[in-house]
């Protein structure tokens, strides 16, 4: 058996264990939309403006290591270890800049509309679970035309702990009345995958921007490039064959 076939079989079995599937949880940044470049741009411009790192712009490696997928409280401490309050003010200002960029430039992950239709057609429950500030999350979801699609939006700062703690994903399950035994997650960051796995659910990782080796260290069920990836649709089709999910018409 080839490595590819082995990987494909593992990916299918990870979802088949959930049958019948009842819900899907999504991260937002980098999972619904390719927003990391906008975050990187905002941080790079604003940090350079205040002379951070001697005025040398932060590169993608620094962004991935210190910023991507993390909660603003943690980012503030990492960037301004001697002045946490200044760090919080900086991240607030950065989010305002980011929201202006979102309105102008936000794009969905390839294949998102196809996946949204599949989830809707099969009557699955769904929630967005994010470390982003609520204003950011709701703006991105709105710009993507998904405000009515999501039955709940869970924000890390409104939970007892943000990701990588499992609390936000467990709160997401509670909000939509789903069980972890019949729910899977889409995530793009190491901290997000860690949170989902710790919450007891299989996580499909998106290699949108983060290196695959970093994502694989957090034990996702499998990785996909985007929502057009044949590996994803092979697994979903296998679920249908096993009657793990049914369309609304079939369930009626």
């Amino acid at each position: 058996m080839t490595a590819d076939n082995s990987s494909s079989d593992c990916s299918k079995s990870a979802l088949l264990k959930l049958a019948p599937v009842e819900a899907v949880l999504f991260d937002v940044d980098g999972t619904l939309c390719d927003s990391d470049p906008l975050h990187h741009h905002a941080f790079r411009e604003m940090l350079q403006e205040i002379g951070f790192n001697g005025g040398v712009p932060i590169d993608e490696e620094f962004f991935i290591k210190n910023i991507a997928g993390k909660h603003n409280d943690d980012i503030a401490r990492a960037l301004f270890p001697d002045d946490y309050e200044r760090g919080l003010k900086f991240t607030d200002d950065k989010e305002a800049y980011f929201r202006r960029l979102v309105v102008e430039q936000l794009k969905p992950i390839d294949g998102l509309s196809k996946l949204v239709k599949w989830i809707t057609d099969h009557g699955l429950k769904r929630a967005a679970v994010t470390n982003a500030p609520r204003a950011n999350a709701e703006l991105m979801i709105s710009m993507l035309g998904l405000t009515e699609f999501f039955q709940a939006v869970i924000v890390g700062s409104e939970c007892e702990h943000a990701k990588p703690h499992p609390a936000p994903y467990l709160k997401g399950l509670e909000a939509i009345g789903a069980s972890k035994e019949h729910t899977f997650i889409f995530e793009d960051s190491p901290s997000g995958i860690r949170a989902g796995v710790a919450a007891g659910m299989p996580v499909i990782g998106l290699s949108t921007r983060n290196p695959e080796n970093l994502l694989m260290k957090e034990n996702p069920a499998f990785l996909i490039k985007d929502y057009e990836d044949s590996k994803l649709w092979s697994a979903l089709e296998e679920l249908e064959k096993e009657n793990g999910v049914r369309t609304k018409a079939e369930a009626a």
Side-chain angles (χ1 to χ4, degrees):
M1 180 179 287
T2 66
D4 285 345
N5 284 339
S6 175
S7 174
S8 177
D9 287 347
C10 289
S11 69
K12 291 175 183 177
S13 65
L15 295 193
L16 286 176
K17 292 175 184 176
L18 304 173
V21 173
E22 63 176 330
V24 184
L25 303 178
F26 286 85
D27 175 48
V28 178
D29 277 301
T31 300
L32 295 176
C33 48
D34 189 15
S35 52
D36 272 1
L38 305 186
H39 284 290
H40 185 189
H41 176 83
F43 273 110
R44 184 180 67 240
E45 295 295 310
M46 291 181 64
L47 286 171
Q48 188 175 11
E49 194 174 293
I50 63 172
F52 183 85
N53 193 33
V56 178
I58 63 169
D59 58 18
E60 189 165 6
E61 183 180 354
F62 179 93
F63 176 79
I64 289 171
K65 181 179 179 181
N66 298 284
I67 296 172
K70 293 181 170 60
H71 189 270
N72 274 348
D73 286 357
D74 299 321
I75 296 171
R77 289 189 177 94
L79 298 181
F80 299 88
D82 300 323
D83 195 344
Y84 176 59
E85 292 303 319
R86 183 190 182 198
L88 288 180
K89 173 66 166 60
F90 178 89
T91 55
D92 283 347
D93 292 342
K94 172 261 160 185
E95 298 302 1
Y97 182 20
F98 169 77
R99 287 191 290 273
R100 294 195 295 273
L101 295 175
V102 164
V103 173
E104 300 168 359
Q105 303 179 31
L106 192 71
K107 295 179 180 178
I109 298 297
D110 289 345
L112 179 63
S113 61
K114 179 182 178 182
L115 179 61
V116 164
K117 183 179 187 302
W118 186 91
I119 291 169
T120 303
D121 286 348
H122 291 84
L124 303 184
K125 300 173 182 178
R126 54 268 187 183
V129 181
T130 178
N131 270 355
R134 181 167 289 278
N136 285 22
E138 291 183 346
L139 175 61
M140 287 185 279
I141 289 169
S142 174
M143 292 294 296
L144 294 168
L146 299 177
T147 301
E148 298 302 318
F149 173 73
F150 286 112
Q151 294 154 331
V153 177
I154 306 301
V155 173
S157 61
E158 297 171 7
C159 301
E160 185 176 353
H161 300 284
K163 303 175 196 177
H165 195 279
Y169 275 116
L170 295 175
K171 187 173 180 180
L173 288 176
E174 183 181 355
I176 60 175
S179 64
K180 65 182 180 181
E181 290 81 13
H182 302 288
T183 301
F184 65 98
I185 295 169
F186 287 103
E187 264 285 1
D188 77 299
S189 71
S191 65
I193 294 174
R194 189 182 312 163
V197 171
M201 289 168 278
V203 181
I204 300 174
L206 281 92
S207 55
T208 316
R209 295 286 172 179
N210 291 295
E212 290 190 7
N213 65 310
L214 294 182
L215 299 178
M216 289 305 298
K217 285 180 181 178
E218 304 301 337
N219 299 311
F222 57 99
L223 296 181
I224 58 175
K225 179 184 177 184
D226 54 37
Y227 298 119
E228 293 179 346
D229 196 313
S230 61
K231 190 187 298 184
L232 170 64
W233 291 99
S234 175
L236 295 181
E237 286 164 11
E238 195 73 13
L239 266 178
E240 291 180 330
K241 290 178 186 176
E242 296 294 325
N243 294 318
V245 289
R246 297 181 297 168
T247 64
K248 288 181 176 178
E250 290 169 338

